[in-house]
Amino acid sequence: MLTFELKKIWRSRKIVLLITLLLTVIIVVYISNRESQENWKEEAFAQTDEYRSSIQVEEKRLMEELESGTLPGLEMRQEALSEVSRTLYEWRNEIYHENWSDYPEFEQAFIKGVRNYQEHGGTFDSLEGLKLEIAEAKTKWMVEHGIAYENEQYPLSPHLFLKDTSVFLFSLPGLALLILLFGNIEVMERESHTWRLLRSTPLHSRLVLLSKFVSLLIVVVFYVFIAIGTTLLLPILLGGGKVEWLYPIVVGDDQGFSIISFSAWLGRGVLIFACSIIFLFTLSILVGIRTVYSFPALSITFFIGLLGYVTADLIPFPYHAFTSLRWTEIVYSMPNGSDWKIVAVSLTCSAILLVLALFTPVSSTENRIASLRRFSGEKLTAGKRNAVKLAVFEWRKVKRLGLFRQGLILLLLAISFGYYLLHESAEKHRETYFDRVREQAEINLSLKKELLKWAEEAEQMSVETDAGNSGENNRTPADDMRETSRMYEVRHSIELDKIEAFEERDWRRFYANQFFTIFSSYRMTIGNFYNVGSGSAPVGIGTFNEDVSLAEKEWMMEHDVAPVFPGELAVSVRDNWGDHEKERRQWKAENRKVDAGGLFSIYHLLSSAMYLLPILLFVFLLGGGFAAERGKKRPIDFLLTQPVHPSSVFMGKAMNAVIAAAASMTGLYGLILLLGTIFYRFGDWSYPILYYVPEKIASGPDYGGMRSSGYGYGFIPLGDYVWQGIVLSLLSLAFLLILSIALSIFFRHTATVLALTFLLAGGGFYMARTTLQEMAAYLPFTYLEAGRILNGELATELNEPSIGFWTGAVVMALSIVILVVAGYCFLRSGYKIKRG
Amino acid sequence: MKVNKMILSVENIGKSYGKQKVLHGVSFAIKKPCIVALVGPNGSGKSTLLNIIANLITPDVGAIEILGQTNRDYKVFQEFSYMQDNTVLYEYLTGYDHLQFIASVQKLRTDDIKAAAERIGTISYLDKKVSNYSLGMKQQLLLTMAILNKPKLLVMDEPLNGLDPTNAIKVRNLLLELVAEGTAILLSSHNLSEIDKVTSDVMFLKNGHLQQEDLKALEKVSYVLTVNHPENGEKILKEAGINILNRKGNRLTVTLSDSSINRIFRLLDDQGIAVRDWEKTVFGAEDRYRTLFGEPETAVK
């Protein structure tokens, strides 16, 4: 039986597909890393630039301290700092000569120098605390084991490449792939009615199920072997090198860390992965027993798995079945003995699910009798045109098959759950904002008090020394301090007034306070800068974001719209963070606006491109076209032997798919709006959404809009963004459906048709931004990302003002018409549909 | 005066799959309502030929006309039905869904569906999904679908497949009724004894070549007589020049060339041999099949 199961898996070519997909991903990542490695040396230099800046800052500080007087230990500190500077120079020299094998030694010498400097009372901002400890431990490991420095960001060495790709191979994407390919191993038998063959053998049904489970375990072993093997071999074959099993991997968090070898890390990762996939497989088997078709079985498995992954922290047990799904978190956490608990719990849960599956009665394939038909004598024309009749027939098929209903239910569940998370997030953002406001108020108050105290002390000192320390206009330092303290007092009252204004729903006052906060923070002082090396541009949120933040508040005051939190600072693509990705991400995470109102919820869906997920689902469910009529069964022969032209069949399929999907998608938008309105609020139609103006327009003499740092910008009302986004998304949906159905005229298999559709969409999307940039405005693929079209981001990126909603709507609509007409005419011309 | 169009004209059809030539210059015509059987071993190209007639496959050479129109015109299906195998059915649709669709495109009424279903006997399970049908039920549904539009030409691929004897008889009688109503029927079948009962127009397909035969000319009638003294009976009839095909137990199988059955009864009666039972059988298709395609290998000893 086991041999039979393995033979079926092999003959179904799923293994071939799995290997193909794995190889494709691995090769793409490798090529991408290789291209990114060109600037390796410069990146290595850049990593040491901040140390150089820190040395300069320290040198300046030491000079100031030396000038103010001789403090004990200052000379020792100066010597230590010189040593740091020397070791850094030598280290950078090794980088210049690309002497990567000696790099760790020189890095270690530098780190020792920094530690020595700190022990002598110095501070070194760019390398201190946990960061210093990690660097120390890692370089020590590398020197002890004779391991050379490697590019960890874009690795090409076998071990680091495997570590890099393991996020795909062993985390959610890898799990999802295996479930998709093999998760229906049980339900598939009943779906294709081959279960009867198995039941007519002298084998107990439980033994059959067990052998399926064991075959899945073998698939897991095979997958791990292939994944690790190819990921290690490819870099060796293409780039030489060897596997460094002892390469140090840093694991841990802000509380603590540990260095483990690559082999230990890999072993840990494989173990956790094995536990998670075994759990998911047993779940899919249990779910499959109670369903009849693969689609609902896989969907339910995915849904439960995803739900468990997202809500793992909410479950009141430290270890449970879903813990192992958080692969990345676990393998990068400090080993503390919890791994075995995770393994034990996961395997126990899997065993329980398997036992349940063995003793759960199989869902019957007997279907309910459909509604009784009355022979009323009516003429069954359902409209004059054959295309309409065929559309009705197609809808009947969709209804009877049941997958569409199940897909909609899945979407409803996903939207409801997604809305719940959004609601929680919005509440949390609001609370966090006001916590910060209160905190800031306290800070301002204490600063005011501190300044007043200093002012008194300064006055006291002035009286004692009888020094006439008056500056211009007879102002004393105490006067300056008092004035500054008044400024903090004002800031303090502004923060408190924000809370009051919000509670009174006085939005204009609320925004006026926010306006003042931004203005006083970024315009009245130097601003949120820190210098990176001499001669570098200031790094931070940037003037553009400051100006946009201020203009946004003015808009909101003018339109009297309710606030969205945090909302004080605007977030845009034009910042000054440069290469500081971590800081940029943190800033974006802290300032990204989140709201659970009806309109804003749809805005989130559109701007994050999540609306593409239901579109993909609808294309999967309805886009099979003629290909869905082929396969093991050939109902296409039934259609082709009726007095209807294939072109009418094409039109009927297209009409049904577009109407059913568009109506469903509209319903989903309506549901989101309803949920948002009931549980939060409808939202303000006039809420400002930042709009980027392309340079071609912004730099023109007639441009009368807003400008900052040379970039044009403006705002569009949220309501306009939403309705335009809905229209563009529906057009995208229709376009992809028609494209898929048109392709099904030429290609036999549903999988091929869908794969080609997605490939064309993805490829066209990519080409529109690269090779075909000049034609981007006239390509339908450009408008598949509605969010970046509506806020002008894409138009600005390509500097093509014509890319926008109206052009997109026209281009999409025309493309749909062209596809429909082309398919219709092609079939009318006598092209013979492939039967399979 | 209206000139009747040829019902089916198949001219010089040839078809190859790679190097294998499946059909060579196949030509025949059906001019009036009748039943024509297409017979051949598995893989001889019967289904290919029927699919070519239905324009599901394009021949390499040749032309087909149905009721005066080229078979490539989809409108021919208004008066032409093709009963295929059950793989063309949608498993997740009910039987009624299939019939409703056909009635819709054929511009028929629900009464027509009811009449066709009652005629075939499918009405009791029309509301069940096809996935729950037995093989016989699927065949009956296919038959209902085929006759729904009262076609002038009905092409059937193995129509008796999976039918129990009762339903096989019903279908046989239905075919004869349809011919009487003006439908020409072309059917392929392996059930040679059933073919013999409905038609003597048989086309044998061997090595891609078509051989049309009128089995009436080859018909052999035999009688199986159950008698009380089979050895004596055999002796008497042999002496009278009656051909005895075989004797099994108390049953004698005789063929008549120029005698009448009355003579046999008189001969036996004169000698005091009682005829307890008798049955007429017609040999035709099976004999000819054996001649053309050879004896089948003995499967079971």
Side-chain angles (χ1 to χ4, degrees):
Chain A
M1 190 65 217
L2 178 61
T3 315
F4 183 54
E5 288 297 325
L6 291 171
K7 192 187 281 186
K8 282 191 314 193
I9 289 174
W10 177 255
R11 290 273 170 82
S12 67
R13 297 188 198 162
K14 287 183 180 178
I15 294 287
V16 174
L17 182 61
L18 178 67
I19 294 173
T20 308
L21 284 169
L22 278 180
L23 279 176
T24 307
V25 167
I26 289 166
I27 289 170
V28 164
V29 173
Y30 186 83
I31 291 172
S32 167
N33 282 359
R34 197 151 76 170
E35 282 171 6
S36 303
Q37 280 244 332
E38 285 171 5
N39 300 322
W40 187 15
K41 193 164 94 175
E42 285 71 23
E43 282 162 15
F45 263 123
Q47 282 170 14
T48 59
D49 281 345
E50 60 176 343
Y51 300 146
R52 210 169 64 168
S53 306
S54 292
I55 291 173
Q56 287 166 354
V57 165
E58 288 303 303
E59 281 173 349
K60 194 178 168 192
R61 186 177 296 161
L62 272 178
M63 287 294 289
E64 286 169 1
E65 285 180 14
L66 278 169
E67 279 170 11
S68 69
T70 306
L71 296 170
L74 212 53
E75 281 179 16
M76 295 287 285
R77 258 172 61 190
Q78 203 169 21
E79 265 180 47
L81 188 61
S82 299
E83 180 62 15
V84 171
S85 183
R86 185 188 67 77
T87 51
L88 179 63
Y89 172 80
E90 286 174 355
W91 183 18
R92 284 168 69 92
N93 196 42
E94 293 306 302
I95 296 173
Y96 180 77
H97 288 103
E98 295 181 18
N99 189 3
W100 308 120
S101 52
D102 289 338
Y103 177 111
E105 276 179 41
F106 286 89
E107 187 185 3
Q108 190 181 41
F110 167 75
I111 291 166
K112 276 182 181 165
V114 170
R115 177 63 81 184
N116 183 45
Y117 177 68
Q118 287 178 343
E119 282 167 3
H120 281 89
T123 55
F124 204 81
D125 292 342
S126 52
L127 191 62
E128 59 180 0
L130 189 64
K131 197 175 168 187
L132 175 62
E133 286 176 37
I134 290 172
E136 263 179 333
K138 188 172 172 185
T139 48
K140 185 181 173 199
W141 179 295
M142 289 177 82
V143 168
E144 277 174 4
H145 292 93
I147 297 170
Y149 170 74
E150 294 184 29
N151 184 339
E152 292 191 8
Q153 199 178 4
Y154 303 108
L156 292 179
S157 60
H159 42 283
L160 286 181
F161 184 64
L162 174 55
K163 178 174 166 284
D164 194 34
T165 51
S166 60
V167 169
F168 166 77
L169 297 172
F170 299 126
S171 185
L172 282 184
L175 293 173
L177 180 65
L178 284 171
I179 293 296
L180 190 66
L181 288 176
F182 302 102
N184 66 340
I185 196 172
E186 197 281 331
V187 67
M188 189 178 62
E189 300 283 4
R190 274 172 296 112
E191 192 175 32
S192 55
H193 301 289
T194 49
W195 183 247
R196 288 184 218 145
L197 172 67
L198 296 175
R199 289 293 295 270
S200 58
T201 57
L203 292 169
H204 199 285
S205 58
R206 288 188 197 129
L207 185 62
V208 172
L209 199 64
L210 268 174
S211 61
K212 285 184 182 296
F213 175 69
V214 172
S215 66
L216 287 176
L217 292 181
I218 294 173
V219 165
V220 171
V221 170
F222 179 78
Y223 175 83
V224 168
F225 178 74
I226 289 292
I228 293 176
T230 47
T231 322
L232 290 178
L233 263 178
L234 185 74
I236 293 172
L237 288 173
L238 296 182
K242 58 175 181 132
V243 183
E244 198 60 77
W245 296 105
L246 292 175
Y247 193 90
I249 308 290
V250 180
V251 296
D253 52 29
D254 296 337
Q255 310 304 318
F257 74 96
S258 183
I259 305 277
I260 59 175
S261 66
F262 166 74
S263 55
W265 179 88
L266 182 65
R268 199 180 175 207
V270 167
L271 187 62
I272 300 296
F273 165 75
C275 292
S276 55
I277 190 60
I278 288 171
F279 170 70
L280 288 177
F281 271 148
T282 48
L283 178 65
S284 71
I285 288 174
L286 180 60
V287 169
I289 277 176
R290 294 305 306 162
T291 54
V292 177
Y293 293 107
S294 294
F295 180 75
L298 291 177
S299 305
I300 293 169
T301 306
F302 274 124
F303 185 74
I304 295 174
L306 204 58
L307 189 67
Y309 176 85
V310 170
T311 60
D313 294 331
L314 301 176
I315 298 172
F317 299 105
Y319 305 105
H320 48 77
F322 297 105
T323 313
S324 61
L325 298 180
R326 297 215 165 168
W327 186 88
T328 313
E329 277 177 37
I330 296 169
V331 298
Y332 283 104
S333 64
M334 266 179 66
N336 57 4
S338 62
D339 288 3
W340 296 112
K341 289 176 191 164
I342 295 170
V343 168
V345 169
S346 187
L347 291 178
T348 306
C349 293
S350 303
I352 292 171
L353 288 180
L354 185 62
V355 167
L356 273 173
L358 288 172
F359 290 96
T360 300
V362 169
S363 176
S364 169
T365 53
E366 288 290 320
N367 294 294
R368 295 188 304 277
I369 293 178
S371 58
L372 285 173
R373 195 57 54 192
R374 292 184 195 281
F375 297 102
S376 58
E378 59 172 301
K379 199 168 183 192
L380 293 161
T381 50
K384 289 181 186 171
R385 298 220 167 258
N386 274 344
V388 174
K389 291 177 196 174
L390 279 150
V392 170
F393 182 57
E394 288 296 320
W395 172 242
R396 196 171 293 132
K397 277 158 56 183
V398 164
K399 259 191 346 186
R400 292 265 191 255
L401 190 55
L403 292 183
F404 191 70
R405 183 177 59 238
Q406 286 155 1
L408 278 182
I409 291 170
L410 197 68
L411 278 175
L412 285 175
L413 287 172
I415 281 171
S416 304
F417 180 64
Y419 182 77
Y420 164 75
L421 291 178
L422 179 66
H423 189 278
E424 293 297 295
S425 180
E427 291 289 298
K428 195 175 165 189
H429 272 74
R430 187 168 64 187
E431 280 164 23
T432 307
Y433 174 75
F434 283 111
D435 284 344
R436 281 215 196 105
V437 165
R438 286 184 201 96
E439 196 184 311
Q440 196 58 46
E442 286 303 312
I443 290 171
N444 287 329
L445 186 65
S446 60
L447 281 171
K448 169 204 154 183
K449 287 176 181 168
E450 200 73 19
L451 278 164
L452 282 175
K453 197 173 98 184
W454 291 344
E456 276 176 31
E457 282 172 8
E459 261 181 359
Q460 190 72 30
M461 219 188 306
S462 171
V463 164
E464 281 168 6
T465 58
D466 196 27
N469 288 336
S470 300
E472 280 183 39
N473 302 322
N474 291 322
R475 288 182 66 83
T476 62
D479 291 333
D480 289 338
M481 285 181 204
R482 281 204 184 86
E483 187 160 335
T484 310
S485 80
R486 275 195 284 280
M487 185 192 75
Y488 282 115
E489 187 178 348
V490 167
R491 283 185 175 177
H492 165 72
S493 60
I494 291 280
E495 297 300 327
L496 292 180
D497 198 46
K498 279 180 195 170
I499 300 171
E500 212 174 288
F502 179 77
E503 283 166 2
E504 290 170 14
R505 300 177 69 81
D506 185 349
W507 307 134
R508 288 200 168 92
R509 200 166 108 219
F510 180 78
Y511 295 128
N513 290 328
Q514 283 193 328
F515 188 100
F516 176 84
T517 303
I518 299 166
F519 194 83
S520 64
S521 297
Y522 295 101
R523 294 295 151 89
M524 285 169 60
T525 59
I526 292 172
N528 187 23
F529 291 157
Y530 70 89
N531 280 325
V532 180
S534 59
S536 306
V539 173
I541 70 166
T543 312
F544 183 85
N545 284 311
E546 292 163 20
D547 287 339
V548 167
S549 304
L550 292 168
E552 198 182 56
K553 302 302 166 291
E554 286 175 328
W555 170 294
M556 291 200 277
M557 280 191 277
E558 189 188 326
H559 291 87
D560 197 26
V561 296
V564 169
F565 296 98
E568 202 151 280
L569 284 174
V571 172
S572 76
V573 298
R574 301 201 191 291
D575 56 59
N576 264 7
W577 292 110
D579 293 332
H580 296 84
E581 274 307 317
K582 194 177 162 193
E583 285 80 3
R584 175 183 282 116
R585 274 200 299 269
Q586 190 180 343
W587 167 69
K588 280 188 172 174
E590 284 172 3
N591 290 282
R592 189 174 71 95
K593 295 186 180 73
V594 178
D595 190 77
L599 286 179
F600 221 94
S601 299
I602 298 178
Y603 166 77
H604 283 307
L605 198 68
L606 292 167
S607 60
S608 63
M610 293 279 281
Y611 69 91
L612 288 172
L613 288 177
I615 286 181
L616 292 180
L617 181 65
F618 287 131
V619 172
F620 175 75
L621 290 174
L622 300 169
F626 289 101
E629 312 280 1
R630 304 181 189 110
K632 286 182 204 167
K633 301 287 179 182
R634 275 219 283 250
I636 190 155
D637 285 353
F638 167 58
L639 289 178
L640 293 177
T641 51
Q642 298 304 315
V644 286
H645 199 277
S647 59
S648 297
V649 177
F650 170 74
M651 294 297 286
K653 284 182 179 296
M655 276 169 59
N656 170 66
V658 170
I659 293 171
S664 303
M665 190 90 174
T666 308
L668 290 173
Y669 283 128
L671 174 68
I672 295 171
L673 199 62
L674 190 68
L675 283 173
T677 307
I678 292 172
F679 293 107
Y680 217 72
R681 58 192 179 111
F682 179 76
D684 288 294
W685 190 273
S686 304
Y687 189 89
I689 302 296
L690 176 62
Y691 180 84
Y692 302 94
V693 175
E695 201 203 323
K696 267 185 190 165
I697 294 182
S699 58
D702 299 330
Y703 178 66
M706 292 181 272
R707 212 186 257 122
S708 172
S709 307
Y711 300 115
Y713 70 96
F715 298 107
I716 59 170
L718 172 64
D720 287 353
Y721 182 101
V722 164
W723 78 257
Q724 289 174 4
I726 291 175
V727 168
L728 270 187
S729 67
L730 291 176
L731 286 170
S732 300
L733 171 63
F735 172 71
L736 289 175
L737 278 169
I738 303 286
L739 176 64
S740 183
I741 293 172
L743 285 172
S744 74
I745 294 172
F746 308 102
F747 297 96
R748 289 195 168 94
H749 301 293
T750 308
T752 308
V753 166
L754 293 176
L756 264 175
T757 303
F758 296 135
L759 213 63
L760 278 171
F765 183 79
Y766 174 77
M767 300 271 277
R769 283 154 179 73
T770 51
T771 330
L772 301 173
Q773 250 187 50
E774 286 171 10
M775 296 166 53
Y778 309 109
L779 293 173
F781 308 104
T782 305
Y783 301 96
L784 291 175
E785 199 182 359
R788 294 180 74 219
I789 297 293
L790 297 172
N791 71 352
E793 198 178 323
L794 190 63
T796 305
E797 187 182 303
L798 301 178
N799 201 15
E800 181 48 70
S802 54
I803 295 176
F805 167 70
W806 290 110
T807 314
V810 168
V811 165
M812 280 289 209
L814 270 176
S815 303
I816 291 166
V817 168
I818 287 169
L819 277 174
V820 168
V821 168
Y824 181 85
C825 293
F826 203 77
L827 289 168
R828 271 283 166 193
S829 71
Y831 177 80
K832 212 170 181 76
I833 295 270
K834 287 182 173 48
R835 289 170 61 227
Chain B
M1 190 170 118
K2 195 174 178 178
V3 177
N4 284 336
K5 292 175 275 199
M6 184 102 57
I7 294 175
L8 173 64
S9 164
V10 175
E11 281 207 43
N12 197 33
I13 294 294
K15 178 71 183 174
S16 298
Y17 288 115
K19 288 180 184 170
Q20 188 194 2
K21 193 133 186 159
V22 177
L23 297 171
H24 299 259
V26 170
S27 297
F28 67 93
I30 300 177
K31 294 173 188 170
K32 58 177 173 53
C34 62
I35 299 175
V36 178
L38 180 64
V39 176
N42 292 332
S44 58
K46 300 190 301 297
S47 292
T48 302
L49 177 59
L50 297 186
N51 283 337
I52 287 173
I53 291 171
N55 195 34
L56 290 174
I57 298 174
T58 308
D60 298 334
V61 288
I64 293 172
E65 277 193 3
I66 298 174
L67 299 163
Q69 300 176 68
T70 170
N71 71 329
R72 290 180 192 186
D73 186 351
Y74 67 95
K75 288 184 189 147
V76 297
F77 291 103
Q78 285 168 350
E79 292 184 298
F80 158 47
S81 275
Y82 180 28
M83 180 184 161
Q84 306 174 68
D85 61 62
N86 61 50
T87 57
V88 306
L89 298 173
Y90 292 95
E91 293 278 308
Y92 49 87
L93 293 182
T94 64
Y96 186 85
D97 289 333
H98 290 83
L99 297 172
Q100 186 184 35
F101 171 65
I102 296 171
S104 163
V105 296
Q106 295 277 8
K107 298 185 176 61
L108 302 172
R109 294 180 179 280
T110 54
D111 284 349
D112 298 313
I113 298 177
K114 187 180 176 190
E118 279 174 343
R119 191 174 187 181
I120 304 297
T122 52
I123 230 177
S124 59
Y125 50 84
L126 272 190
D127 287 324
K128 280 189 181 176
K129 288 192 183 178
V130 168
S131 56
N132 294 322
Y133 283 14
S134 65
L135 180 59
M137 286 157 80
K138 286 180 185 172
Q139 284 298 108
Q140 291 195 306
L141 174 62
L142 287 163
L143 192 50
T144 313
M145 287 159 62
I147 67 164
L148 187 55
N149 64 332
K150 298 190 173 79
K152 290 203 167 56
L153 173 65
L154 175 57
V155 172
M156 308 169 93
D157 194 355
E158 311 268 352
L160 301 168
N161 209 11
L163 293 181
D164 58 46
T166 312
N167 283 311
I169 294 168
K170 273 174 88 174
V171 167
R172 191 174 71 222
N173 292 335
L174 173 71
L175 296 181
L176 294 169
E177 284 169 18
L178 288 172
V179 170
E181 287 164 12
T183 302
I185 299 171
L186 170 63
L187 61 89
S188 74
S189 183
H190 290 126
N191 197 329
L192 303 173
S193 57
E194 285 297 330
I195 284 173
D196 277 339
K197 287 173 183 145
V198 294
T199 184
S200 55
D201 273 325
V202 178
M203 298 189 295
F204 292 95
L205 195 57
K206 183 182 178 185
N207 297 328
H209 294 280
L210 200 69
Q211 202 160 327
Q212 269 183 288
E213 308 259 346
D214 182 358
L215 291 181
K216 273 207 189 90
L218 302 169
E219 224 171 57
K220 275 188 215 164
V221 179
S222 66
Y223 292 91
V224 180
L225 308 169
T226 307
V227 297
N228 54 353
H229 296 294
E231 293 96 348
N232 287 349
E234 187 183 5
K235 188 180 161 198
I236 289 160
L237 290 176
K238 269 185 179 170
E239 283 169 1
I242 305 292
N243 184 26
I244 309 290
L245 281 181
N246 60 59
R247 173 168 61 91
K248 283 183 190 161
N250 59 352
R251 296 163 69 132
L252 297 172
T253 306
V254 304
T255 57
L256 302 176
S257 46
D258 52 3
S259 305
S260 70
I261 190 67
N262 282 342
R263 185 175 168 239
I264 291 174
F265 287 147
R266 244 184 280 121
L267 282 168
L268 292 171
D269 192 44
D270 286 348
Q271 299 301 319
I273 295 173
V275 176
R276 295 218 169 99
D277 193 8
W278 65 282
E279 184 191 338
K280 179 184 175 184
T281 57
V282 179
F283 289 96
E286 196 167 317
D287 281 346
R288 189 65 183 129
Y289 188 97
R290 278 206 201 97
T291 310
L292 281 171
F293 300 110
E295 288 282 346
E297 287 179 13
T298 309
V300 176
K301 291 192 180 171

